[in-house]
Amino acid sequence: MGRRVSTSERIYRARRIGTTFGRIYLGIRANRFVADRLRPADMHRRWERFHRESAESIYDAAVELRGLILKGCQFLGSRADVLPPPYVSTLSRLQDRVPPHPFETVRDTVERELRRPLFEVFSEFEREPMASASLAQVHGATTLDGRRVAVKVQYPEIAALVTGDLANVRFLFRAVGWLERDFDLMPLVDELSGNVPLELDFVNEGRNAERIGAFFAGRDDVAVPAIHWDLTSERVLVMERIDGIKVSDGAALQAAGIDRSAVMRILVEAYCEQVLVHGFFHADPHPGNLLVQPRPEGPRVVFLDFGLAKQLPETFREGVVELLGALIRGDAKAMAVALDLLGFETRDHSLESLAEMAEFVLHAAQQVRARMHLDPEFAQQLREEIPERVREDPIVRIPSHLVLVGRVLGLVSGLSRTLESRVDLLRAILPYVAQVPPRPAG
């Protein structure tokens, strides 16, 4: 059982969440009034300053409250289709700002879950964590029989916090939706409600790891840690420890003599295998979850943390095939049909509305193909223009699985630039697209 959360703590968290977001909402209404009635010349700067200060207040609340609020804000930091850029840039910093719990708390959790004293299970257990995240932290250890392992330990209070915080956020966002008919955040709450309980079940995470690891059983250049099921429970996950260089550390990769273009090729192929062949993929793609091991025969890419993995709908791969085919032909109308198949929704439910976005995406893709990556100036333009177009009319919904696939594409493109790789992303993807059976006529 996890730690109980006191009534006073629940009340404090509800008040902290409500006042933080309430002030932001009232600030939005006040700025709208100024913009509509007074129309000051510096209104753009006023909005920028307001969004920046509001994002910092959300950031501070997330760091203080941790739990689901931190997890949700990390998630929002990747949703440029929903929030203006200052929120995205500020909240994305939360990936690296999670203070760990004390060792004594970790030891108590492990002993309670495994029903044995810590050192009857491990001959060594590192007091300082290797990593700490919103729901758990990871410690290095060695089992009594000499196996080097990584032990992921869930925070004891997190399950209770998630339940209470979800109720608070659901109430708050429902109220916002009632006040602002065109501003519906409930799909985000529904997504968190579906994903976070799965991430709290480490048995499920272990199964995800084994399922994705099986995809690469025939390759030695992709690795997934083995799960030690004899030492795993819902709140403690013990897996093979695999060390390596963080995939975004270009200097360390170069110092180790690693071919960075080979790293990118392996990474692109690994995600294509998951997304386009098996329809199930590692959906939490950030550099902390990807390591690179140097080897004489070439680099190996290591995937970590499978708490968030996504099963794609059957129509996804067909939609991707049609989208890429239209992209190659430069056919924006056919791209709009593919976007509709993939699940994009518009306010007026028209393909003409999607075609406007398709034209922009087509131009962006042509630029990426020509450069083989996104140069900083063009990347900044895309980061600003695409979300702005999505947030405004006509597009009102992007399916959650496409947002997660988009995060994968963003990671790959960003790493391609960071590592100065010359991998042609479209050329790398096409062989996998060719394996997808065509959609039946009619």
Side-chain angles (χ1 to χ4, degrees), residues 109-110 113 133-138 150-156 158 196-210 227-229 231-239 305-308:
T109 300
V110 174
E113 287 295 309
S134 54
L135 307 179
Q137 61 194 54
V138 181
V151 184
K152 185 173 182 178
V153 184
Q154 189 174 125
Y155 301 137
I158 199 67
V196 174
L198 292 177
E199 292 190 62
L200 291 176
D201 181 356
F202 288 175
V203 172
N204 178 70
E205 178 174 346
R207 293 194 189 107
N208 290 341
E210 286 197 334
I227 305 301
H228 295 292
W229 288 110
L231 301 176
T232 290
S233 71
E234 284 191 5
R235 295 182 178 88
V236 172
L237 175 63
V238 180
M239 68 204 96
D305 194 343
F306 295 85
L308 183 57

Side-chain angles (χ1 to χ4, degrees), residues 53 74 107 252 351 372:
E53 292 172 353
Q74 287 176 334
R107 181 190 59 206
L351 289 179
M372 297 187 186

Side-chain angles (χ1 to χ4, degrees), residues 103-104 106-112 114-128 139-146 149 151 231:
F103 171 72
E104 290 73 22
V106 171
R107 181 190 59 206
D108 291 347
T109 300
V110 174
E111 291 181 345
R112 183 172 58 252
L114 301 186
R115 301 179 181 178
R116 283 173 283 174
L118 188 70
F119 291 105
E120 286 186 11
V121 181
F122 304 101
S123 61
E124 296 179 18
F125 197 98
E126 297 173 6
R127 295 181 68 91
E128 295 299 318
H139 290 254
T142 304
T143 62
L144 295 180
D145 57 3
V149 295
V151 184
L231 301 176

Side-chain angles (χ1 to χ4, degrees), residues 212 271 274 281-285 305 308-310 404 407-408:
I212 292 176
Y271 266 114
Q274 294 171 66
F281 70 104
H282 176 274
D284 192 11
D305 194 343
L308 183 57
K310 192 72 173 178
L404 294 173
R407 288 175 63 185
V408 171

Side-chain angles (χ1 to χ4, degrees), residues 29-300:
R29 295 296 297 262
N31 275 281
R32 282 181 181 169
F33 178 85
V34 171
D36 293 341
R37 299 294 180 88
L38 305 179
R39 299 181 181 178
D42 66 340
M43 196 62 220
H44 177 75
R45 285 195 298 274
R46 291 186 185 210
W47 275 118
E48 283 290 321
R49 183 171 62 252
F50 170 78
H51 288 321
R52 187 170 59 250
E53 292 172 353
S54 297
E56 290 292 344
S57 70
I58 296 173
Y59 177 93
D60 291 341
V63 171
E64 177 193 346
L65 298 177
R66 305 204 289 190
L68 178 80
I69 301 305
L70 178 59
K71 183 71 179 179
C73 289
Q74 287 176 334
F75 171 67
L76 287 174
S78 68
R79 294 300 301 261
D81 59 308
V82 176
L83 297 177
Y87 294 92
V88 174
S89 61
T90 300
L91 298 182
S92 63
R93 290 174 11 222
L94 288 167
Q95 298 290 351
D96 302 316
R97 274 294 309 273
V98 186
H101 277 45
F103 171 72
E104 290 73 22
T105 302
V106 171
R107 181 190 59 206
D108 291 347
T109 300
V110 174
E111 291 181 345
R112 183 172 58 252
E113 287 295 309
L114 301 186
R115 301 179 181 178
R116 283 173 283 174
L118 188 70
F119 291 105
E120 286 186 11
V121 181
F122 304 101
S123 61
E124 296 179 18
F125 197 98
E126 297 173 6
R127 295 181 68 91
E128 295 299 318
M130 302 162 57
S132 54
S134 54
L135 307 179
Q137 61 194 54
V138 181
H139 290 254
T142 304
T143 62
L144 295 180
D145 57 3
R147 295 175 291 177
R148 294 178 69 247
V149 295
V151 184
K152 185 173 182 178
V153 184
Q154 189 174 125
Y155 301 137
E157 75 282 3
I158 199 67
L161 290 182
V162 163
T163 300
D165 288 348
L166 272 174
N168 292 333
V169 172
R170 186 177 294 278
F171 173 80
L172 181 67
F173 284 6
R174 186 176 288 120
V176 171
W178 181 75
L179 293 169
E180 301 288 337
R181 301 294 183 180
D182 293 330
F183 194 59
D184 184 12
L185 293 175
M186 291 308 296
L188 299 181
V189 181
D190 293 339
E191 190 169 345
L192 283 172
S193 300
N195 289 338
V196 174
L198 292 177
E199 292 190 62
L200 291 176
D201 181 356
F202 288 175
V203 172
N204 178 70
E205 178 174 346
R207 293 194 189 107
N208 290 341
E210 286 197 334
R211 181 176 176 184
I212 292 176
F215 298 162
F216 305 108
R219 299 183 63 149
D220 67 353
D221 57 356
V222 178
V224 171
I227 305 301
H228 295 292
W229 288 110
D230 57 322
L231 301 176
T232 290
S233 71
E234 284 191 5
R235 295 182 178 88
V236 172
L237 175 63
V238 180
M239 68 204 96
E240 173 189 11
R241 179 168 178 172
I242 305 180
D243 296 317
I245 300 168
K246 193 173 180 179
V247 72
S248 59
D249 192 343
L253 294 176
Q254 185 172 9
I258 294 174
D259 182 344
R260 290 173 291 182
S261 289
V263 170
M264 285 305 307
R265 177 185 55 77
I266 295 167
L267 186 61
V268 171
E269 290 177 356
Y271 266 114
C272 285
E273 182 82 16
Q274 294 171 66
V275 172
L276 295 174
V277 177
H278 300 285
F280 184 78
F281 70 104
H282 176 274
D284 192 11
H286 63 80
N289 289 341
L290 296 165
L291 302 177
V292 182
Q293 292 183 312
R295 303 180 304 158
E297 62 270 38
R300 173 187 284 138

Side-chain angles (χ1 to χ4, degrees), residues 356-385:
E356 294 177 14
M357 175 60 74
E359 289 280 4
F360 184 79
V361 172
L362 179 60
H363 173 68
Q366 290 168 341
Q367 295 288 323
V368 174
R369 182 74 194 281
R371 296 172 169 84
M372 297 187 186
H373 64 87
L374 290 174
D375 63 58
E377 294 79 12
F378 190 63
Q380 183 61 34
Q381 180 185 350
L382 292 182
R383 280 194 294 268
E384 293 175 359
E385 290 196 36

